[in-house]
Amino acid sequence: MTQPAPTGRGTTRRAVVTAAGAAGLAATLAACGKDDDGGPDSGSAGSARDAGSAQPSRSAQGGGSAPPSQGGGDGMELAKTSQIPEGGGMVFKDHKVVVTQPTAGEFKAFSAICTHAGCSVGDVSGGTINCPCHQSKFDITDGSVKGGPARKPLPGAQITVRGNSIRMA
């Protein structure tokens, strides 16, 4: 049976079905970014929550180091090298990146999105990048998991270090 054209006096069945389908799709896509069971496929970055200002934490290109003399990368400046503490780091929530300095002059960058449930990591202390949502901990040198429930390391991010400036690549 064919539905009559809407007259502006009510909602058609087609509009209701379309809205319900869109809501279901949105819920399905939102669930894809989560991994609450801590299973082996818990590497989905999901959406960034808690995006905000910079906080101490470390990060580097692909988990590698960026020597201070490295050229290239005219991206926006994240910080001065003097702002990143040796053995610590800084979280840049607005840019979803964490920059670390495991040893003097060695800078690394990682995604600031926890691989467990997609939360933004909160800080860097005690040699680890720490997620406040479920207490996952990641090593500041390579992003590897030091404490669960996360099972996958933080992916590396690209930065460049030129002189005393750390920039997005």
Side-chain angles (χ1 to χ4, degrees), residues 27-39 41-47 49 114-119 133-134:
T28 300
L29 291 175
C32 288
K34 297 209 176 237
D35 180 24
D36 293 330
D37 67 1
D41 294 328
S42 61
S44 175
S47 63
R49 298 177 211 146
C114 180
T115 58
H116 171 247
C119 296
C133 294
H134 302 105

PDB file of all heavy atoms in Angstrom, residues 27-39 41-47 49 114-119 133-134:
ATOM      1  N   ALA A  27      24.008   4.596  17.039  1.00  0.00           N
ATOM      2  CA  ALA A  27      24.354   3.807  18.215  1.00  0.00           C
ATOM      3  C   ALA A  27      25.379   2.738  17.869  1.00  0.00           C
ATOM      4  O   ALA A  27      26.313   2.485  18.617  1.00  0.00           O
ATOM      5  CB  ALA A  27      23.094   3.174  18.810  1.00  0.00           C
ATOM      6  N   THR A  28      25.217   2.100  16.710  1.00  0.00           N
ATOM      7  CA  THR A  28      26.158   1.077  16.273  1.00  0.00           C
ATOM      8  C   THR A  28      27.541   1.663  16.043  1.00  0.00           C
ATOM      9  O   THR A  28      28.540   1.105  16.487  1.00  0.00           O
ATOM     10  CB  THR A  28      25.658   0.400  14.975  1.00  0.00           C
ATOM     11  OG1 THR A  28      24.389  -0.199  15.239  1.00  0.00           O
ATOM     12  CG2 THR A  28      26.637  -0.652  14.486  1.00  0.00           C
ATOM     13  N   LEU A  29      27.615   2.811  15.375  1.00  0.00           N
ATOM     14  CA  LEU A  29      28.910   3.444  15.118  1.00  0.00           C
ATOM     15  C   LEU A  29      29.569   3.899  16.406  1.00  0.00           C
ATOM     16  O   LEU A  29      30.777   3.781  16.569  1.00  0.00           O
ATOM     17  CB  LEU A  29      28.746   4.630  14.159  1.00  0.00           C
ATOM     18  CG  LEU A  29      28.363   4.258  12.727  1.00  0.00           C
ATOM     19  CD1 LEU A  29      28.107   5.508  11.908  1.00  0.00           C
ATOM     20  CD2 LEU A  29      29.429   3.402  12.087  1.00  0.00           C
ATOM     21  N   ALA A  30      28.806   4.403  17.349  1.00  0.00           N
ATOM     22  CA  ALA A  30      29.368   4.829  18.627  1.00  0.00           C
ATOM     23  C   ALA A  30      29.940   3.635  19.379  1.00  0.00           C
ATOM     24  O   ALA A  30      30.978   3.733  20.012  1.00  0.00           O
ATOM     25  CB  ALA A  30      28.306   5.527  19.468  1.00  0.00           C
ATOM     26  N   ALA A  31      29.280   2.491  19.294  1.00  0.00           N
ATOM     27  CA  ALA A  31      29.748   1.300  19.992  1.00  0.00           C
ATOM     28  C   ALA A  31      31.020   0.748  19.378  1.00  0.00           C
ATOM     29  O   ALA A  31      31.806   0.101  20.057  1.00  0.00           O
ATOM     30  CB  ALA A  31      28.659   0.235  19.992  1.00  0.00           C
ATOM     31  N   CYS A  32      31.269   1.013  18.099  1.00  0.00           N
ATOM     32  CA  CYS A  32      32.466   0.495  17.439  1.00  0.00           C
ATOM     33  C   CYS A  32      33.736   1.066  18.036  1.00  0.00           C
ATOM     34  O   CYS A  32      34.781   0.456  17.973  1.00  0.00           O
ATOM     35  CB  CYS A  32      32.433   0.801  15.938  1.00  0.00           C
ATOM     36  SG  CYS A  32      31.234  -0.197  15.054  1.00  0.00           S
ATOM     37  N   GLY A  33      33.686   2.249  18.613  1.00  0.00           N
ATOM     38  CA  GLY A  33      34.877   2.873  19.184  1.00  0.00           C
ATOM     39  C   GLY A  33      35.186   2.405  20.588  1.00  0.00           C
ATOM     40  O   GLY A  33      36.152   2.817  21.173  1.00  0.00           O
ATOM     41  N   LYS A  34      34.412   1.524  21.148  1.00  0.00           N
ATOM     42  CA  LYS A  34      34.599   1.081  22.525  1.00  0.00           C
ATOM     43  C   LYS A  34      35.027  -0.372  22.556  1.00  0.00           C
ATOM     44  O   LYS A  34      34.713  -1.151  21.697  1.00  0.00           O
ATOM     45  CB  LYS A  34      33.303   1.217  23.303  1.00  0.00           C
ATOM     46  CG  LYS A  34      32.847   2.633  23.420  1.00  0.00           C
ATOM     47  CD  LYS A  34      32.083   2.787  24.684  1.00  0.00           C
ATOM     48  CE  LYS A  34      31.702   4.217  24.867  1.00  0.00           C
ATOM     49  NZ  LYS A  34      32.168   4.754  26.061  1.00  0.00           N
ATOM     50  N   ASP A  35      35.754  -0.726  23.595  1.00  0.00           N
ATOM     51  CA  ASP A  35      36.092  -2.110  23.868  1.00  0.00           C
ATOM     52  C   ASP A  35      36.102  -2.275  25.369  1.00  0.00           C
ATOM     53  O   ASP A  35      37.120  -2.163  26.015  1.00  0.00           O
ATOM     54  CB  ASP A  35      37.457  -2.462  23.275  1.00  0.00           C
ATOM     55  CG  ASP A  35      37.824  -3.903  23.547  1.00  0.00           C
ATOM     56  OD1 ASP A  35      36.910  -4.718  23.764  1.00  0.00           O
ATOM     57  OD2 ASP A  35      39.032  -4.217  23.563  1.00  0.00           O
ATOM     58  N   ASP A  36      34.965  -2.485  25.940  1.00  0.00           N
ATOM     59  CA  ASP A  36      34.863  -2.574  27.376  1.00  0.00           C
ATOM     60  C   ASP A  36      35.206  -3.949  27.917  1.00  0.00           C
ATOM     61  O   ASP A  36      35.345  -4.116  29.116  1.00  0.00           O
ATOM     62  CB  ASP A  36      33.446  -2.195  27.838  1.00  0.00           C
ATOM     63  CG  ASP A  36      33.163  -0.725  27.587  1.00  0.00           C
ATOM     64  OD1 ASP A  36      34.108   0.080  27.613  1.00  0.00           O
ATOM     65  OD2 ASP A  36      31.990  -0.398  27.367  1.00  0.00           O
ATOM     66  N   ASP A  37      35.341  -4.938  27.038  1.00  0.00           N
ATOM     67  CA  ASP A  37      35.623  -6.276  27.542  1.00  0.00           C
ATOM     68  C   ASP A  37      37.111  -6.528  27.714  1.00  0.00           C
ATOM     69  O   ASP A  37      37.500  -7.558  28.227  1.00  0.00           O
ATOM     70  CB  ASP A  37      34.996  -7.348  26.637  1.00  0.00           C
ATOM     71  CG  ASP A  37      35.634  -7.403  25.259  1.00  0.00           C
ATOM     72  OD1 ASP A  37      36.571  -6.646  24.977  1.00  0.00           O
ATOM     73  OD2 ASP A  37      35.187  -8.229  24.459  1.00  0.00           O
ATOM     74  N   GLY A  38      37.959  -5.580  27.266  1.00  0.00           N
ATOM     75  CA  GLY A  38      39.399  -5.742  27.428  1.00  0.00           C
ATOM     76  C   GLY A  38      39.945  -6.888  26.615  1.00  0.00           C
ATOM     77  O   GLY A  38      41.023  -7.376  26.902  1.00  0.00           O
ATOM     78  N   GLY A  39      39.227  -7.336  25.600  1.00  0.00           N
ATOM     79  CA  GLY A  39      39.646  -8.466  24.783  1.00  0.00           C
ATOM     80  C   GLY A  39      40.868  -8.165  23.948  1.00  0.00           C
ATOM     81  O   GLY A  39      41.389  -7.063  23.945  1.00  0.00           O
ATOM     82  N   ASP A  41      41.253  -7.612  20.900  1.00  0.00           N
ATOM     83  CA  ASP A  41      41.098  -6.637  19.831  1.00  0.00           C
ATOM     84  C   ASP A  41      40.803  -5.259  20.392  1.00  0.00           C
ATOM     85  O   ASP A  41      40.070  -4.481  19.817  1.00  0.00           O
ATOM     86  CB  ASP A  41      39.972  -7.057  18.876  1.00  0.00           C
ATOM     87  CG  ASP A  41      40.315  -8.323  18.140  1.00  0.00           C
ATOM     88  OD1 ASP A  41      41.500  -8.533  17.865  1.00  0.00           O
ATOM     89  OD2 ASP A  41      39.391  -9.118  17.854  1.00  0.00           O
ATOM     90  N   SER A  42      41.373  -4.927  21.529  1.00  0.00           N
ATOM     91  CA  SER A  42      41.041  -3.689  22.216  1.00  0.00           C
ATOM     92  C   SER A  42      41.866  -2.508  21.734  1.00  0.00           C
ATOM     93  O   SER A  42      42.094  -1.586  22.480  1.00  0.00           O
ATOM     94  CB  SER A  42      41.218  -3.873  23.719  1.00  0.00           C
ATOM     95  OG  SER A  42      42.559  -4.200  24.002  1.00  0.00           O
ATOM     96  N   GLY A  43      42.287  -2.494  20.480  1.00  0.00           N
ATOM     97  CA  GLY A  43      43.119  -1.418  19.991  1.00  0.00           C
ATOM     98  C   GLY A  43      42.381  -0.276  19.338  1.00  0.00           C
ATOM     99  O   GLY A  43      42.989   0.636  18.830  1.00  0.00           O
ATOM    100  N   SER A  44      41.075  -0.260  19.321  1.00  0.00           N
ATOM    101  CA  SER A  44      40.328   0.812  18.686  1.00  0.00           C
ATOM    102  C   SER A  44      40.515   2.114  19.433  1.00  0.00           C
ATOM    103  O   SER A  44      40.318   2.181  20.628  1.00  0.00           O
ATOM    104  CB  SER A  44      38.844   0.447  18.645  1.00  0.00           C
ATOM    105  OG  SER A  44      38.104   1.522  18.130  1.00  0.00           O
ATOM    106  N   ALA A  45      40.914   3.148  18.717  1.00  0.00           N
ATOM    107  CA  ALA A  45      41.151   4.431  19.366  1.00  0.00           C
ATOM    108  C   ALA A  45      39.860   5.087  19.782  1.00  0.00           C
ATOM    109  O   ALA A  45      39.816   5.792  20.765  1.00  0.00           O
ATOM    110  CB  ALA A  45      41.936   5.346  18.432  1.00  0.00           C
ATOM    111  N   GLY A  46      38.787   4.908  19.055  1.00  0.00           N
ATOM    112  CA  GLY A  46      37.515   5.518  19.409  1.00  0.00           C
ATOM    113  C   GLY A  46      37.576   7.019  19.296  1.00  0.00           C
ATOM    114  O   GLY A  46      38.463   7.577  18.675  1.00  0.00           O
ATOM    115  N   SER A  47      36.634   7.702  19.908  1.00  0.00           N
ATOM    116  CA  SER A  47      36.613   9.146  19.841  1.00  0.00           C
ATOM    117  C   SER A  47      37.331   9.726  21.034  1.00  0.00           C
ATOM    118  O   SER A  47      37.394   9.127  22.092  1.00  0.00           O
ATOM    119  CB  SER A  47      35.161   9.636  19.817  1.00  0.00           C
ATOM    120  OG  SER A  47      34.526   9.277  21.017  1.00  0.00           O
ATOM    121  N   ARG A  49      37.641  11.834  24.089  1.00  0.00           N
ATOM    122  CA  ARG A  49      36.869  12.509  25.114  1.00  0.00           C
ATOM    123  C   ARG A  49      37.847  13.367  25.878  1.00  0.00           C
ATOM    124  O   ARG A  49      39.041  13.183  25.794  1.00  0.00           O
ATOM    125  CB  ARG A  49      36.246  11.487  26.058  1.00  0.00           C
ATOM    126  CG  ARG A  49      35.293  10.571  25.345  1.00  0.00           C
ATOM    127  CD  ARG A  49      34.758   9.536  26.316  1.00  0.00           C
ATOM    128  NE  ARG A  49      34.506   8.334  25.553  1.00  0.00           N
ATOM    129  CZ  ARG A  49      34.651   7.126  26.017  1.00  0.00           C
ATOM    130  NH1 ARG A  49      35.042   6.913  27.228  1.00  0.00           N
ATOM    131  NH2 ARG A  49      34.405   6.089  25.260  1.00  0.00           N
ATOM    132  N   CYS A 114      43.690   6.458  24.676  1.00  0.00           N
ATOM    133  CA  CYS A 114      43.940   5.129  25.238  1.00  0.00           C
ATOM    134  C   CYS A 114      43.378   4.043  24.320  1.00  0.00           C
ATOM    135  O   CYS A 114      42.255   4.172  23.816  1.00  0.00           O
ATOM    136  CB  CYS A 114      43.297   5.033  26.629  1.00  0.00           C
ATOM    137  SG  CYS A 114      43.557   3.426  27.425  1.00  0.00           S
ATOM    138  N   THR A 115      44.137   2.996  24.135  1.00  0.00           N
ATOM    139  CA  THR A 115      43.719   1.899  23.250  1.00  0.00           C
ATOM    140  C   THR A 115      42.693   0.973  23.896  1.00  0.00           C
ATOM    141  O   THR A 115      42.175   0.086  23.231  1.00  0.00           O
ATOM    142  CB  THR A 115      44.938   1.073  22.795  1.00  0.00           C
ATOM    143  OG1 THR A 115      45.618   0.563  23.959  1.00  0.00           O
ATOM    144  CG2 THR A 115      45.890   1.906  21.962  1.00  0.00           C
ATOM    145  N   HIS A 116      42.366   1.181  25.152  1.00  0.00           N
ATOM    146  CA  HIS A 116      41.370   0.342  25.804  1.00  0.00           C
ATOM    147  C   HIS A 116      39.949   0.783  25.477  1.00  0.00           C
ATOM    148  O   HIS A 116      39.187   0.019  24.911  1.00  0.00           O
ATOM    149  CB  HIS A 116      41.574   0.324  27.321  1.00  0.00           C
ATOM    150  CG  HIS A 116      40.458  -0.339  28.058  1.00  0.00           C
ATOM    151  ND1 HIS A 116      39.615   0.348  28.894  1.00  0.00           N
ATOM    152  CD2 HIS A 116      40.020  -1.614  28.064  1.00  0.00           C
ATOM    153  CE1 HIS A 116      38.717  -0.478  29.387  1.00  0.00           C
ATOM    154  NE2 HIS A 116      38.934  -1.682  28.907  1.00  0.00           N
ATOM    155  N   ALA A 117      39.607   2.030  25.812  1.00  0.00           N
ATOM    156  CA  ALA A 117      38.220   2.468  25.621  1.00  0.00           C
ATOM    157  C   ALA A 117      38.104   3.840  24.978  1.00  0.00           C
ATOM    158  O   ALA A 117      37.032   4.415  24.955  1.00  0.00           O
ATOM    159  CB  ALA A 117      37.471   2.453  26.953  1.00  0.00           C
ATOM    160  N   GLY A 118      39.203   4.373  24.460  1.00  0.00           N
ATOM    161  CA  GLY A 118      39.141   5.630  23.733  1.00  0.00           C
ATOM    162  C   GLY A 118      39.166   6.883  24.584  1.00  0.00           C
ATOM    163  O   GLY A 118      38.920   7.971  24.082  1.00  0.00           O
ATOM    164  N   CYS A 119      39.460   6.766  25.865  1.00  0.00           N
ATOM    165  CA  CYS A 119      39.576   7.952  26.726  1.00  0.00           C
ATOM    166  C   CYS A 119      40.872   8.687  26.406  1.00  0.00           C
ATOM    167  O   CYS A 119      41.829   8.087  25.920  1.00  0.00           O
ATOM    168  CB  CYS A 119      39.615   7.541  28.195  1.00  0.00           C
ATOM    169  SG  CYS A 119      38.121   6.758  28.805  1.00  0.00           S
ATOM    170  N   CYS A 133      40.645   6.779  33.032  1.00  0.00           N
ATOM    171  CA  CYS A 133      39.372   6.052  32.935  1.00  0.00           C
ATOM    172  C   CYS A 133      39.406   4.676  33.586  1.00  0.00           C
ATOM    173  O   CYS A 133      38.523   4.330  34.355  1.00  0.00           O
ATOM    174  CB  CYS A 133      38.942   5.929  31.472  1.00  0.00           C
ATOM    175  SG  CYS A 133      38.534   7.517  30.730  1.00  0.00           S
ATOM    176  N   HIS A 134      40.418   3.879  33.253  1.00  0.00           N
ATOM    177  CA  HIS A 134      40.490   2.513  33.776  1.00  0.00           C
ATOM    178  C   HIS A 134      41.898   2.162  34.256  1.00  0.00           C
ATOM    179  O   HIS A 134      42.243   0.999  34.394  1.00  0.00           O
ATOM    180  CB  HIS A 134      40.011   1.504  32.721  1.00  0.00           C
ATOM    181  CG  HIS A 134      38.623   1.765  32.267  1.00  0.00           C
ATOM    182  ND1 HIS A 134      38.345   2.319  31.040  1.00  0.00           N
ATOM    183  CD2 HIS A 134      37.432   1.599  32.882  1.00  0.00           C
ATOM    184  CE1 HIS A 134      37.026   2.467  30.918  1.00  0.00           C
ATOM    185  NE2 HIS A 134      36.459   2.039  32.023  1.00  0.00           N
TER     186      HIS A 134
END
